[in-house]
């Protein structure tokens, strides 16, 4: 076994949460090591959501990793809600005093962050097996793992648990100190990436009696589309023809608009859940991103919420190293949870307004339509959607 390595902050997980945290810390002179279970190509190619809030865009820019995002990202000043075959535009920029969203794939953000980190000579350990997080209630926590069969040990002042929903960090916290709040939804999203230009220059969230559908994009050549399906469905039940047929039906309008088809280059099913663990910290371990909370994708908030967490965590750690004060660290969970629950509500609200659950009857559907009509006709209600969608200011 080799000697233990020493760092200030050990970051478990090289998803958006871990990589943004590492970058924010490096910008402030705090040293960290990122430990990731997968290889670099896997994390750089993993297809996920692609909507960045204004607040996330501002954070990435301030951290010096916004250059390609500013060049290649697609700025959207509005989005469409569709129901009863009619599209209604929510003018995000106009309703939020100039704020907007940027469509830029999560894996592109991840690529930029990895390039910046490795370019600066800082370490990411990829393909770390059997990661164990020890002694987080003592002064010097330890992380052990194997790389190529060799055991490695890192000792650190703090551990950031950025290892996603299925990671190990959360489970190292004694279960009796945690409260879990959870909701499962009786539907899922089947997503495709199609090599064809988007059929409209903005996102369309469509309510339909056959179920929800979403038109999104990745670039001027790539369209991202989703249809609501059952969580029990498998990909072989959804040949391309069936996916296109449902998309045509659910996204159809009465004005002759047509959906462009193209070769399907990726297809996957995402189940949906809401999940929050409280508190988000224990001893010297701080959970951030999906390790602490999950939202259904309808509000496009997963990455953005992870970014908000690590902004709070980075500021608290930097303050500790500069002044020796613990108050920001002690307040980490409570500070984050205020935003987490706001975003949980928004994501749940968008989800329940737009999807058709198996037991829904005509009453449920009429309530949804009443809400959609209100959101698209009242400036106050549209502003509520818009300011949440572009992201409320960070604390
Ligand atoms: N040891 C080391 N790394 C691990 C371990 C482990 N035991 N378990 C998981 N990981 C890694 C995963 O391989 C992944 O790269 O942790 C990373 C977690 O990344 P994400 O799942 O992307 O979570 P997070 O960084 O919190 O990002 C927030 O944004 O679009 C949303 O839900 C989406 O995951 C995304 C989220
Ligand atoms: C996406 O482009 O993948 C996307 C967009 C909006 C969402 C979820 C996913 O709400």
């Amino acid at each position: 076994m080799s000697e233990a390595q020493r760092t200030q902050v050990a970051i478990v997980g090289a998803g958006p949460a871990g990589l943004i945290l590492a970058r924010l810390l490096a910008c402030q002179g705090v040293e960290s090591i990122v430990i990731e279970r997968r290889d670099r190509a896997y994390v750089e190619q993993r297809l996920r959501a692609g909507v960045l809030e204004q607040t996330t865009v501002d954070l990435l820019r301030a951290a010096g990793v916004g250059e390609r995002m500013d060049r290649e990202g697609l700025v959207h000043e509005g989005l469409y809600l569709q129901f009863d075959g009619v599209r209604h535009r929510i003018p995000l920029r106009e309703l939020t005093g100039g704020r907007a969203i940027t469509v830029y794939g999560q894996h592109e953000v991840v690529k930029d962050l990895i390039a910046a980190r490795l370019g600066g000579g800082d370490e990411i350990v990829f393909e770390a097996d059997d990661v164990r997080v020890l002694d987080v209630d003592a002064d010097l926590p330890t992380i052990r793992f194997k790389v190529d069969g060799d055991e490695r040990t890192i000792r650190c002042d703090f551990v950031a648990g950025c290892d996603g929903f299925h990671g190990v960090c959360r489970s190292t916290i004694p279960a009796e100190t945690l409260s879990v709040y959870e909701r499962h939804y009786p539907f899922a999203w089947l997503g495709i990436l199609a090599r064809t230009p988007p059929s409209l220059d903005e996102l369309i969230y469509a309510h339909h009696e056959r179920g929800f559908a979403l038109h999104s994009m990745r670039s001027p050549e790539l369209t991202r589309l989703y249809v609501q399906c059952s969580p029990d469905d498998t990909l072989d039940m959804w040949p391309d023809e069936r996916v296109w047929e449902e998309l045509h039906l659910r996204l159809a309008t009465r004005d002759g608009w047509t959906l462009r088809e193209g070769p399907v280059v990726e297809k996957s099913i995402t189940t949906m859940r809401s999940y929050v663990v409280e508190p988000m910290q224990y001893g010297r371990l701080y959970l951030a991103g999906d390790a602490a909370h999950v939202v259904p994708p309808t509000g496009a908030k997963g990455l953005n919420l992870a970014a908000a967490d690590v902004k709070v965590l980075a500021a608290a750690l930097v303050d500790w190293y500069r002044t020796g004060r613990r108050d920001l660290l002690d307040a980490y969970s409570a500070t984050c949870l205020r935003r987490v629950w706001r975003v949980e509500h928004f994501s749940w609200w968008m989800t329940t307004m737009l999807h058709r659950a198996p037991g829904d009857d005509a009453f449920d559907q009429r309530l949804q339509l009443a809400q959609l009509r209100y959101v698209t006709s009242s400036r106050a209600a549209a502003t509520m959607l818009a300011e949440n969608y572009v992201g409320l200011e960070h604390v």
Side-chain angles (χ1 to χ4, degrees):
M1 193 193 293
S2 58
E3 255 177 51
Q5 211 177 337
R6 182 73 169 85
T7 192
Q8 292 181 310
V9 183
I11 300 174
V12 186
L19 292 168
I20 298 173
L21 177 63
R23 178 72 189 177
L24 296 175
L25 292 177
C27 290
Q28 301 288 330
V30 174
E31 186 189 276
S32 64
I33 298 179
V34 181
I35 302 138
E36 165 62 47
R37 188 163 62 110
R38 303 287 194 161
D39 64 31
R40 180 175 176 182
Y42 182 92
V43 297
E44 288 190 341
Q45 280 155 28
R46 187 165 41 191
L47 197 63
R48 293 270 183 82
V51 173
L52 305 183
E53 289 179 353
Q54 185 71 57
T55 44
T56 306
V57 167
D58 295 343
L59 181 67
L60 294 173
R61 256 184 218 150
V65 284
E67 196 256 333
R68 197 165 66 96
M69 170 189 76
D70 281 331
R71 213 165 359 104
E72 296 178 15
L74 308 170
V75 176
H76 286 200
E77 302 190 353
L79 60 76
Y80 289 91
L81 288 181
Q82 176 172 327
F83 53 96
D84 278 341
V86 179
R87 234 163 251 163
H88 304 259
R89 186 165 185 273
I90 306 284
L92 299 171
R93 199 189 278 293
E94 186 192 316
L95 292 171
T96 58
R99 294 151 72 76
I101 52 151
T102 299
V103 174
Y104 187 64
Q106 175 171 323
H107 66 289
E108 305 295 351
V109 175
V110 164
K111 271 192 228 163
D112 296 344
L113 287 160
I114 290 177
R117 177 158 181 94
L118 300 180
D122 292 315
E123 191 173 7
I124 304 176
V125 181
F126 288 106
E127 298 181 79
D129 276 334
D130 191 20
V131 177
R132 281 144 290 151
V133 179
L134 308 163
D135 302 332
V136 292
D137 44 4
D139 283 346
L140 203 60
T142 300
I143 313 275
R144 286 191 211 282
F145 52 94
K146 292 198 181 83
V147 180
D148 288 333
D150 291 335
E151 178 93 2
R152 277 182 63 177
T153 304
I154 294 177
R155 291 196 211 289
C156 54
D157 299 323
F158 300 100
V159 180
C162 301
D163 49 351
F165 185 67
H166 300 287
V168 288
C169 289
R170 192 176 62 246
S171 58
T172 66
I173 303 178
E176 65 276 12
T177 67
L178 294 179
S179 302
V180 171
Y181 304 90
E182 194 167 16
R183 181 140 306 176
H184 290 265
Y185 298 90
F187 37 75
W189 281 12
L190 180 131
I192 59 165
L193 189 65
R195 196 170 297 290
T196 184
S199 305
L200 197 72
D201 56 0
E202 291 179 336
L203 271 62
I204 310 165
Y205 287 83
H207 176 276
H208 193 277
E209 60 188 19
R210 299 179 66 84
F212 172 73
L214 171 62
H215 166 275
S216 178
M217 64 202 69
R218 282 294 172 277
S219 70
E221 297 80 37
L222 283 174
T223 304
R224 182 80 170 139
L225 296 150
Y226 298 92
V227 277
Q228 178 186 339
C229 65
S230 158
D232 304 320
D233 283 0
T234 50
L235 285 178
D236 54 311
M237 295 162 68
W238 285 91
D240 295 355
E241 309 74 65
R242 180 175 176 207
V243 180
W244 288 116
E245 195 184 329
E246 283 298 328
L247 285 166
H248 282 293
L249 283 170
R250 299 184 195 185
L251 291 168
T253 51
R254 300 194 210 111
D255 61 3
W257 174 87
T258 49
L259 173 68
R260 284 199 190 106
E261 290 194 20
V264 174
V265 292
E266 199 267 352
K267 193 191 288 179
S268 55
I269 292 178
T270 315
T271 56
M272 323 244 295
R273 74 165 87 212
S274 298
Y275 178 97
V276 182
V277 71
E278 294 187 6
M280 291 168 55
Q281 64 193 86
Y282 176 76
R284 286 176 170 248
L285 169 64
Y286 298 85
L287 302 176
D290 276 17
H293 42 69
V294 178
V295 285
T298 328
K301 290 294 174 213
L303 179 153
N304 296 296
L305 199 49
D309 286 349
V310 297
K311 186 179 177 194
V312 174
L313 183 53
L317 289 166
V318 168
D319 193 54
W320 189 87
Y321 282 110
R322 293 231 171 107
T323 68
R325 284 168 49 169
R326 290 198 60 109
D327 18 338
L328 294 184
L329 279 173
D330 290 344
Y332 169 72
S333 176
T335 305
C336 288
L337 284 168
R338 278 194 291 278
R339 184 185 191 85
V340 168
W341 278 111
R342 171 86 296 278
V343 171
E344 287 287 346
H345 180 273
F346 178 68
S347 304
W348 164 87
W349 175 74
M350 286 283 281
T351 301
T352 50
M353 177 170 71
L354 287 162
H355 290 74
R356 171 135 211 206
D360 279 2
D361 58 15
F363 185 86
D364 296 296
Q365 226 175 335
R366 276 168 171 69
L367 289 180
Q368 288 181 324
L369 290 171
Q371 184 68 357
L372 283 161
R373 274 194 291 273
Y374 180 50
V375 168
T376 51
S377 59
S378 149
R379 190 175 173 90
T383 303
M384 186 279 283
L385 188 151
E387 68 179 13
N388 279 276
Y389 198 82
V390 302
L392 296 167
E393 294 284 358
H394 287 144
V395 283

